[in-house]
Amino acid sequence: MSDLGDHSVNEGKSGFDSTRIAEVKAWLVSQFESVGKDVPDFEYTTRSISHLHSLATISQAKTQAAGIVASDLRQKAMEYRSQAARIREILQSVGLAQEGLPPNAVTSVQVVANVANLLNIRDTEMSSFLVAMADISLRKSGVEEKRANVQKESKVLLDYTRKAISRLTYLKRTLGQLEDDVATCEGQMNHWKTNLTIMLSKERQYLQQFSNYKALLNLVGYTSDISHGELVEMDEHRKELEKKTKPIMDTLRSYQDLPPDKALAALAIEEKRRQYAAAEKYLEEVLHSALATSE
């Protein structure tokens, strides 16, 4: 059963292809005969037959449509001819035939007809001309308005273009100046970079010195709570102690001229040393008391 079904399908398909081939051949013959030429030989394939059949279908549809339009135009032409003949008879009956009119009148009529055709009106009545002229005036006004808008936009665009050109010129000049300043700026940046390296080294050195000085001040008992007035007071105490110890130092220096009596010299030196130690102890007590008071 399946073999019989496939055979029938193939027969139907081949019959359909033969029908399309016949239609394509008939269309090609008609087209080439219309121009006085023979149909060239070529291979009929499924693809070519399909393409030519679609072209034939479109061509036949357009030919049919063109025939309908041509028939309608021929019908209208016949009606226009009959109407023209009727109008010609009417004009001849009233003595206005074209042969009897003067040349200037014929020229004027032709001008009126040409103007009517130009204005796309069907008659030459005054109202039709007025309506057509009014329509042209409205179109003219619209065109003038569009032209004014276009000119305004053109002026705005021209102004923008001039500003853009001026801005571009300024940017190009600025770019040239910056390119000229690149070498100078690079040299200055290198100089600043070198100075920055030196300053960073100095900063580390000063921070180290600050740390050392801070440790030294902490070692001697100096704190940030000691004010300038307290330092001045301590300096005055130091000066007083120097005044007290100065005579002792002078006396000690005068002992250099003593006679070589070792016992007396030893006693005198021992006495001065005790006095000097007492003065130093007093100075330390004053300093400690000042520090304690500031704390």
Side-chain angles (χ1 to χ4, degrees):
M1 290 295 291
S2 61
D3 294 338
L4 292 174
D6 294 339
H7 182 66
S8 61
V9 170
N10 291 330
E11 287 182 351
K13 185 176 180 180
S14 62
F16 177 72
D17 291 340
S18 60
T19 304
R20 296 182 68 178
I21 292 172
E23 292 177 358
V24 168
K25 286 182 177 181
W27 177 73
L28 289 174
V29 169
S30 64
Q31 296 299 317
F32 279 93
E33 284 182 353
S34 64
V35 295
K37 293 184 180 180
D38 296 331
V39 180
D41 295 332
F42 63 93
E43 183 181 0
Y44 290 93
T45 62
T46 305
R47 184 176 180 182
S48 62
I49 292 299
S50 176
H51 183 65
L52 290 173
H53 188 268
S54 62
L55 288 177
T57 303
I58 296 172
S59 176
Q60 290 172 359
K62 289 186 177 181
T63 302
Q64 185 177 2
I68 294 172
V69 173
S71 176
D72 182 64
L73 292 176
R74 283 193 293 269
Q75 182 68 28
K76 288 182 179 179
M78 293 176 59
E79 292 176 358
Y80 290 152
R81 290 192 189 96
S82 62
Q83 187 176 3
R86 186 173 59 83
I87 293 173
R88 188 180 299 109
E89 291 177 356
I90 293 172
L91 291 175
Q92 288 178 355
S93 64
V94 297
L96 295 176
Q98 184 177 357
E99 295 79 5
L101 293 175
N104 56 355
V106 175
T107 304
S108 300
V109 171
Q110 290 179 352
V111 170
V112 172
N114 292 332
V115 172
N117 290 329
L118 181 63
L119 296 177
N120 195 18
I121 57 178
R122 296 183 177 182
D123 52 50
T124 56
E125 294 182 1
M126 183 62 67
S127 59
S128 299
F129 278 104
L130 292 176
V131 171
M133 293 300 295
D135 184 52
I136 291 177
S137 298
L138 291 175
R139 293 181 182 180
K140 181 181 177 183
S141 300
V143 171
E144 289 178 350
E145 184 178 357
K146 291 180 180 180
R147 181 180 180 183
N149 293 332
V150 170
Q151 289 179 351
K152 187 183 297 183
E153 292 177 357
S154 299
K155 290 180 180 179
V156 173
L157 292 175
L158 181 61
D159 188 22
Y160 285 160
T161 304
R162 289 174 179 173
K163 291 181 180 179
I165 292 173
S166 177
R167 186 66 176 175
L168 178 61
T169 304
Y170 170 74
L171 291 175
K172 286 183 177 179
R173 185 169 59 252
T174 304
L175 178 61
Q177 293 177 357
L178 293 175
E179 289 178 350
D180 294 337
D181 294 341
V182 166
T184 305
C185 293
E186 285 181 352
Q188 190 173 5
M189 288 177 64
N190 292 330
H191 179 67
W192 288 348
K193 187 176 180 180
T194 304
N195 290 340
L196 181 62
T197 304
I198 297 173
M199 291 175 67
L200 290 174
S201 177
K202 290 290 185 181
E203 181 185 8
R204 289 192 295 268
Q205 180 182 353
Y206 293 154
L207 289 174
Q208 185 63 35
Q209 291 180 357
F210 175 75
S211 178
N212 295 335
Y213 292 150
K214 187 175 180 181
L216 181 60
L217 291 174
N218 291 332
L219 183 63
V220 298
Y222 176 80
T223 60
S224 59
D225 297 332
I226 299 177
S227 63
H228 178 70
E230 294 175 350
L231 292 175
V232 171
E233 183 179 356
M234 293 173 65
D235 185 63
E236 291 177 354
H237 284 293
R238 183 185 61 79
K239 290 179 180 179
E240 291 178 359
L241 291 175
E242 286 180 352
K243 289 179 181 180
K244 292 180 180 180
T245 56
K246 187 176 180 181
I248 299 172
M249 295 298 296
D250 293 339
T251 304
L252 291 174
R253 291 190 186 95
S254 64
Y255 287 159
Q256 294 178 358
D257 300 330
L258 291 175
D261 189 350
K262 294 182 179 181
L264 294 175
L267 290 174
I269 290 170
E270 186 66 24
E271 181 64 24
K272 295 302 182 181
R273 284 179 177 174
R274 284 197 300 270
Q275 292 178 0
Y276 186 75
E280 285 184 347
K281 184 177 181 181
Y282 176 71
L283 177 60
E284 290 179 358
E285 291 177 355
V286 171
L287 290 173
H288 284 298
S289 63
L291 292 172
T293 303
S294 63
E295 293 177 356

